[in-house]
Amino acid sequence: MAEHLDLHTVGDLLHHYPRRYAERGELTRLADLPLDEHVTVVAQVLDARVHKFNQGRGQRLEVTVTDGGGRLQLVFFGRSIYHHQKELVPGRRGMFAGKVGTFRNIRQLSHPAYEMLGGDSDASAAKAWADQLIPLYPACSKMESWKISNAVDVVLASMEATGWEAVVDPLPPALREGRGLVPLPEALRKIHRPRAKADVEDARSRLKWDEAFVLQVALARRRHADSQLPAVARKPAPGGLLDAFDAKLPFTLTDGQRKVSAEIFDDLATEHPMHRLLQGEVGSGKTMVALRAMLAVVDAGGQAAMLAPTEVLAQQHHRSITEMMGELAEGGMLGGAERGTKVVLLTGSMGTAARRQALLDLITGEAGVVVGTHALIEDKVQFHDLGLVVVDEQHRFGVEQRDALRSKGKQPPHLLVMTATPIPRTVAMTVFGDLETSVLDQLPAGRSPIATHVVPAKDKPHFLARAWERVREEVAGGHQAYVVCPRIGDEEDAPKKKSAGSAESAEDAAERRPPLAVLDVAEELSRGPLAGLRVEVLHGRMQPDAKDEVMRRFAAGEVDVLVATTVIEVGVNVPNSTAMVIMDADRFGVSQLHQLRGRVGRGSAPGLCLLVSEMPEASPARARLGAVAATLDGFELSRIDLEQRREGDVLGQAQSGVRSSLRMLTVIDDEEIIAAAREEAAAVVAADPELARLPELRTALDALLDKDREEFLDKG
């Protein structure tokens, strides 16, 4: 069990819950069995016959089983076939497990493992089986569901014999009784051996609460510990840099920007570090909010650092911040009369002289604002007085990196984390549970709507031809366009081999073809549908100077069409670009498509995004693209994205290892439980931060947070 299912203790086994339950009369639809997957089915034997082959030298047993709707063939070879023939008598029912294959277009299991259910000879066993829900466990070929089930029987019997004394209940009794939840031993008994469906519901409600509550207590303790740390309160001086900046803004801030700024300024004015997540739609003006927070800190005598995931993005932020600030970005000394400050850029590819000057400006305090990549984290980089760290696109930044930057302040600096990937409230509470959340959901005035359409290149090739015409029309109207591809094109590519003799669906063919590449597509477009236009390429393997030059020329309007990889996904801001064509759009995730689309329609002209795919109409990939085309609401899309991926991917490494603790809780469906658990956890931790009065809860926390995970949460 340890080797194949990662179950090492009796506790692990008790928390390895059945995936579903088979009922008598309710059978797996055999007609829907997925090929090449390991399945467990409950079915009835229809007939069993021995066939000879190879001129009588070989023989095989073919058994047909049914669930009343579909049929499945079981095949056995060799000497044991007569033993199986005795067991597999027509009319008997059993559980059969194996890998689904096909032979002459008939679905079959070859040499399946099986266990017969309720034989006629044993009337009492048959009766017990008839009344029971059969738990089907997540299993594998080396560990069938019923072997796991038999092991669980042994554990349950031994637990009953000792009165469940080994089981520690993490929920405080008052909480459990107040919420009407069953005790833990009863929940474990009911989840593994339910007598009726109501038992399963009781158990699930209880076990979901355990997971949500213990996780939220861990996060609440994290927030409590953070609130005890000292930090320098940063209150902006009136008549300073921030006021001067606000006075020269050519537009008014949205209500959302004002509200979120007020929350941030309140946090900055306290003597413990701010930990805030700022999430906002693509183009909702997060950078403006972050810049005002940075200027407030500079006004209060500190320095602010903005950390970006890529050089392209760091350069872009530096450019847009210096443009927005104008002469205020060319100040003399910190706190000097000119009210200005220096804004410096620090990236790995800078020349030695420029880098030395930037480092000097940071340590003397001459530079109030620094924008950089993880080059900011290196040991050599020292600050005069780091007061605020802004991390852009959090999900691309490791916890250790955030931690390293944080340790550069004399006291822990305030932390503002920004993301343009909308995160559903429940995920924010679970993955970013140690951060307070602010949401910008209003688009600034002057932003245009983006029309999105799916272009089915295989079913309707003329649609693709029309897409290139639309690009030409946009360029003729004085605008610019992006073409995005999943791959660069200078890699060695080994297409997946098709196995001999296997029929292939349109979906498989589209999947097998290597993804379209920037270099190939740019060449084809220049020679073909976009001949005569100024087409350039941009990708991550270009030299930083070359990348910067291409971006500068595109921003200046000297390039009509930019063929790029996803390096343009985050933060690239060229208001004159109105069209985007995403090739092989099915190769990108929902959130990524939404991010990419946000690069167009940033000016006053409406945006157009075309999602090109060769996937057939009925495929899940096309359904995903349809969802992106149907709404511009990032929060709605993030829900769809989450429902399509599994929870494990969502929590991924963001809570290193916590993923494995969510066996029952589904982050998207159990929003109410998570929200209630967060409140209960906050109350428990406020009353007893060390959990001295709740030793069982401490034990459960220790089990959830082994040393590595504890450190991970510590680094925040």
Side-chain angles (χ1 to χ4, degrees):
M1 285 190 172
E3 188 181 339
H4 298 295
L5 296 169
D6 199 24
L7 304 177
H8 301 270
T9 67
V10 166
D12 290 344
L13 180 59
L14 282 176
H15 291 294
H16 186 72
Y17 308 129
R19 189 173 57 238
R20 60 188 186 84
Y21 302 87
E23 294 177 71
R24 189 166 197 196
E26 176 267 346
L27 298 171
T28 322
R29 281 174 54 87
L30 294 183
D32 298 341
L33 287 180
L35 275 178
D36 284 339
E37 282 199 21
H38 202 276
V39 298
T40 302
V41 298
V42 179
Q44 186 164 17
V45 178
L46 271 184
D47 67 17
R49 295 180 188 176
V50 175
H51 296 270
K52 296 214 176 338
F53 62 92
N54 198 4
Q55 294 162 343
R57 286 199 291 275
Q59 45 191 6
R60 69 177 180 271
L61 172 65
E62 285 180 7
V63 180
T64 306
V65 297
T66 180
D67 63 354
R71 294 183 173 202
L72 179 69
Q73 197 170 62
L74 315 177
V75 191
F76 300 89
F77 297 91
R79 293 181 183 159
S80 61
I81 62 172
Y82 294 105
H83 163 72
H84 295 308
Q85 192 180 19
K86 278 197 198 106
E87 287 281 308
L88 299 167
V89 179
R92 285 195 72 188
R93 292 157 57 89
M95 286 198 281
F96 305 93
K99 196 171 185 183
V100 184
T102 57
F103 182 68
R104 294 185 183 146
N105 284 340
I106 296 171
R107 295 193 175 221
Q108 67 171 26
L109 301 182
S110 180
H111 276 276
Y114 61 88
E115 183 162 273
M116 303 314 289
L117 297 169
D120 302 333
S121 55
D122 185 353
S124 63
K127 169 83 179 82
W129 173 72
D131 294 342
Q132 198 184 13
L133 292 167
I134 305 164
L136 297 179
Y137 288 89
C140 62
S141 57
K142 299 276 194 301
M143 247 309 154
E144 291 92 358
S145 174
W146 54 83
K147 286 187 186 163
I148 298 168
S149 188
N150 292 340
V152 169
D153 281 339
V154 173
V155 172
L156 288 175
S158 108
M159 287 288 173
E160 294 291 353
T162 59
W164 291 84
E165 64 185 25
V167 170
V168 175
D169 192 331
L171 292 193
L175 188 159
R176 196 185 72 232
E177 286 150 21
R179 298 266 169 192
L181 300 167
V182 300
L184 186 55
E186 189 181 330
L188 291 170
R189 203 180 299 120
K190 284 181 167 176
I191 200 78
H192 290 291
R193 297 296 172 260
R195 294 210 167 86
K197 285 184 175 171
D199 284 356
V200 177
E201 282 316 302
D202 281 355
R204 281 196 171 138
S205 304
R206 164 61 214 246
L207 295 167
K208 282 181 176 185
W209 253 96
D210 281 13
E211 289 177 11
F213 180 70
V214 174
L215 179 56
Q216 290 300 337
V217 166
L219 294 165
R221 292 186 73 204
R222 182 78 278 116
R223 289 195 300 277
H224 181 269
D226 285 341
S227 71
Q228 306 303 304
L229 288 174
V232 179
R234 308 281 179 177
K235 296 184 179 134
L241 189 55
L242 178 62
D243 288 350
F245 175 75
D246 284 349
K248 69 191 277 299
L249 277 182
F251 52 81
T252 54
L253 298 174
T254 65
D255 294 344
Q257 284 174 318
R258 269 200 275 274
K259 178 176 133 301
V260 170
S261 286
E263 291 172 351
I264 291 171
F265 289 156
D266 286 350
D267 283 359
L268 289 174
T270 61
E271 292 189 348
H272 58 82
M274 163 172 83
H275 285 106
R276 190 166 281 281
L277 171 70
L278 170 58
Q279 47 171 332
E281 276 293 4
V282 174
S284 57
K286 292 184 301 299
T287 311
M288 173 60 71
V289 169
L291 177 55
R292 293 184 72 241
M294 289 160 82
L295 296 181
V297 168
V298 174
D299 267 349
Q303 290 169 296
M306 182 184 251
L307 207 49
T310 63
E311 293 214 352
V312 170
L313 194 52
Q315 287 157 348
Q316 175 105 18
H317 276 316
H318 182 253
R319 198 178 304 123
S320 61
I321 285 173
T322 45
E323 278 167 14
M324 283 195 274
M325 286 176 66
E327 71 280 4
L328 295 172
E330 297 155 12
M333 294 295 284
L334 267 182
E338 297 150 78
R339 286 196 304 194
T341 188
K342 254 193 186 177
V343 178
V344 301
L345 175 68
L346 191 64
T347 63
S349 65
M350 284 168 74
T352 315
R355 186 180 171 78
R356 191 176 294 132
Q357 184 57 52
L359 290 172
L360 190 65
D361 288 342
L362 284 182
I363 197 162
T364 59
E366 186 114 352
V369 175
V370 56
V371 182
T373 55
H374 31 254
L376 276 177
I377 296 167
E378 291 171 14
D379 294 342
K380 289 199 275 296
V381 181
Q382 292 181 340
F383 290 84
H384 176 67
D385 180 13
L386 181 61
L388 170 67
V389 175
V390 179
V391 180
D392 192 22
E393 287 309 320
Q394 140 68 27
H395 59 288
R396 293 152 170 263
F397 244 95
V399 163
E400 281 78 7
Q401 293 161 308
R402 259 175 24 192
D403 186 45
L405 190 55
R406 219 191 261 173
S407 66
K408 290 190 177 292
K410 295 189 174 71
Q411 286 193 328
H414 298 280
L415 176 70
L416 179 65
V417 170
M418 301 198 295
T419 176
T421 308
I423 303 164
R425 178 165 162 261
T426 43
V427 181
M429 284 191 297
T430 310
V431 180
F432 299 105
D434 54 337
L435 300 174
E436 300 300 328
T437 306
S438 296
V439 178
L440 272 178
D441 46 13
Q442 238 180 325
L443 286 188
R447 274 305 171 86
S448 305
I450 305 168
T452 309
H453 304 285
V454 179
V455 178
K458 210 160 186 89
D459 314 348
K460 299 177 179 165
H462 58 287
F463 275 37
L464 184 56
R466 175 73 189 115
W468 301 126
E469 280 172 31
R470 282 291 289 115
V471 170
R472 292 194 83 97
E473 287 163 18
E474 290 296 315
V475 173
H479 296 296
Q480 292 158 279
Y482 297 100
V483 177
V484 181
C485 307
R487 204 165 56 92
I488 296 174
D490 55 4
E491 313 90 342
E492 290 293 310
D493 254 306
K496 294 180 202 162
K497 288 194 175 62
K498 178 178 160 185
S499 57
S502 64
E504 186 173 48
S505 69
E507 210 167 332
D508 291 340
E511 273 283 335
R512 206 187 79 255
R513 171 179 64 67
L516 291 170
V518 166
L519 301 177
D520 307 341
V521 169
E523 195 178 328
E524 278 171 40
L525 293 177
S526 302
R527 284 209 309 260
L530 302 185
L533 300 187
R534 296 168 299 177
V535 177
E536 294 262 357
V537 300
L538 179 71
H539 57 75
R541 263 198 239 129
M542 288 164 64
Q543 287 301 315
D545 295 351
K547 273 194 283 203
D548 212 31
E549 175 61 13
V550 171
M551 262 329 294
R552 190 195 60 68
R553 291 182 36 237
F554 186 63
E558 295 164 22
V559 175
D560 298 321
V561 179
L562 188 61
V563 184
T565 55
T566 53
V567 291
I568 61 154
E569 175 188 350
V570 185
V572 172
N573 184 21
V574 180
N576 192 44
S577 53
T578 52
M580 175 177 283
V581 181
I582 303 180
M583 307 303 290
D584 277 344
D586 47 87
R587 312 261 180 152
F588 299 98
V590 169
S591 301
Q592 204 171 22
L593 290 170
H594 182 59
Q595 284 273 0
L596 286 165
R597 165 170 69 182
R599 302 298 118 220
V600 296
R602 297 175 79 88
S604 51
L608 171 69
C609 179
L610 301 173
L611 307 174
V612 180
S613 171
E614 292 191 358
M615 284 298 191
E617 199 166 351
S619 62
R622 275 284 289 280
R624 209 169 65 228
L625 298 181
V628 175
T631 177
L632 288 171
D633 180 346
F635 287 93
E636 176 55 32
L637 286 174
S638 67
R639 277 192 86 90
I640 293 167
D641 196 18
L642 197 53
E643 279 160 9
Q644 290 187 340
R645 303 183 313 170
R646 290 187 337 280
E647 240 80 30
D649 303 338
V650 178
L651 295 176
Q653 289 307 302
Q655 292 292 19
S656 173
V658 170
R659 177 182 54 137
S660 60
S661 70
L662 296 190
R663 296 188 174 91
M664 190 60 81
L665 196 68
T666 53
V667 169
I668 212 81
D669 297 332
D670 297 320
E671 184 162 346
E672 286 165 16
I673 293 178
I674 292 171
R678 183 179 164 108
E679 279 178 30
E680 294 273 14
V684 163
V685 171
D688 181 7
E690 292 305 309
L691 307 179
R693 297 190 291 280
L694 297 166
E696 295 85 2
L697 178 53
R698 273 212 74 105
T699 305
L701 260 187
D702 293 341
L704 173 75
L705 298 175
D706 56 29
K707 193 158 178 354
D708 292 348
R709 293 185 209 159
E710 182 74 87
E711 274 176 17
F712 194 92
L713 273 180
D714 272 345
K715 288 179 176 169

